[in-house]
Each structure stands twice: as C-alpha cells, then as structure tokens.
C-alpha cells in the first residue's frame, strides 16, 4: 500500500453519528455497518417486543457484488508523498458514512434502513392528510 502523509489545515464536522468514521492517514481496512428501523406513527403506541431486525428481509438479504471485468490500467507518480487538504466543512454524517484523507486498501460500507409508516384508519381510504 502507498504510504503518504496526510495534512489537513482545518476540519469542522458538526455531527457524526451511527457508525460514521473520520480517518486521517492511511488505513488498511475500513468497515462501516449500520442498521436501523425508522417507524413513523400517527398515534403514540409502543409494543414491548418490537424492533427485531430478523423479522425483516431487508436486514438479511445478501447484497449483490458484481465482479469487475473491465481491464484497468493505472500509472501514478507521486514526487511529493503528501496529501494536502486546506479546509473540510461537513454539516452532518450518519449511517456508516466516512470521511477519509489518506490511502485505503479495502473499504466496505453498509447501511440498511427499514422505514415503516403506521397510519390510523380514519374510515376514509382516499384521504391523504
């Protein structure tokens, strides 16, 4: 793996949450994984045993990774082994996001979110309020 120095003058990240990574410098492996159930309800009703990820196929289906079949050619010349960044400003990063300044050999990021809306039956099927 290439080795270079990473120089960043200023970094401002207001919010980093839920498996987010801020990495300055080289890394051999970065793995980020996040899963969430996002439930929106019209009524405040809570059940004691809800929130089991195994109840939803979203969290167990394999992610298809297609092989790279194109021929690639890469030639680099780094007379100065330094990665220089002046300013980084990020409002928010979430759910397995990554900010990385440097070299990486292997990066794998995964975020799985199941959105559920539970609306009350008001007797009018065509109402979209």
């Amino acid at each position: 793996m290439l080795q270079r120095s990473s120089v960043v003058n200023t970094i401002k990240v207001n919010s980093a949450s839920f498996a987010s990574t801020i990495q300055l410098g080289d890394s051999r492996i970065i793995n980020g994984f996040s899963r969430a159930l996002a439930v929106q309800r019209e009524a405040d009703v809570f059940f004691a045993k809800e929130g089991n990820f195994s109840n939803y196929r979203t969290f167990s289906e394999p992610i298809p990774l297609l092989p790279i079949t194109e021929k690639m050619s890469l030639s680099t010349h780094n007379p100065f082994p330094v990665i220089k960044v002046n300013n980084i400003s990020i409002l928010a990063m979430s759910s397995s996001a990554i900010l990385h300044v440097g070299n990486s050999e292997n990066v794998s990021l995964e975020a799985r979110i199941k959105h559920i809306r539970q609306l009350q039956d008001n007797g009018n099927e065509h109402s979209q309020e």
Side-chain angles (χ1 to χ4, degrees):
M1 180 170 78
L2 293 172
Q3 292 186 356
R4 292 186 270 184
S5 297
S6 298
V7 178
V8 180
N9 288 338
T10 306
I11 293 179
K12 180 181 178 185
V13 178
N14 289 347
S15 176
S17 61
F18 304 122
S20 294
T21 302
I22 299 171
Q23 171 74 35
L24 300 178
D26 297 343
S27 58
R28 192 157 306 278
I29 298 172
I30 296 175
N31 286 325
F33 181 77
S34 175
R35 58 185 181 175
L37 285 173
V39 180
Q40 179 184 14
R41 295 182 171 138
E42 284 186 317
D44 292 334
V45 178
F46 299 98
F47 305 101
K49 294 187 179 184
E50 62 184 355
N52 188 349
F53 292 116
S54 63
N55 290 341
Y56 304 98
R57 230 178 43 217
T58 301
F59 300 107
S60 60
E61 287 181 348
I63 296 175
L65 297 174
L66 302 175
I68 298 172
T69 58
E70 302 99 29
K71 289 189 177 190
M72 295 181 2
S73 176
L74 176 66
S75 176
T76 60
H77 176 68
N78 297 308
F80 305 105
V82 177
I83 298 171
K84 290 186 178 182
V85 178
N86 185 32
N87 183 34
I88 298 173
S89 180
I90 297 176
L91 182 60
M93 33 192 304
S94 178
S95 301
S96 196
I98 182 170
L99 163 61
H100 185 252
V101 179
N103 297 303
S104 291
E105 193 171 310
N106 186 319
V107 177
S108 174
L109 304 173
E110 180 180 329
R112 295 182 184 222
I113 302 169
K114 175 70 176 174
H115 292 272
I116 301 169
R117 289 189 175 87
Q118 296 176 342
L119 306 176
Q120 292 180 328
D121 183 12
N122 61 4
N124 185 355
E125 292 181 29
H126 301 290
S127 177
Q128 295 293 319
E129 297 179 331

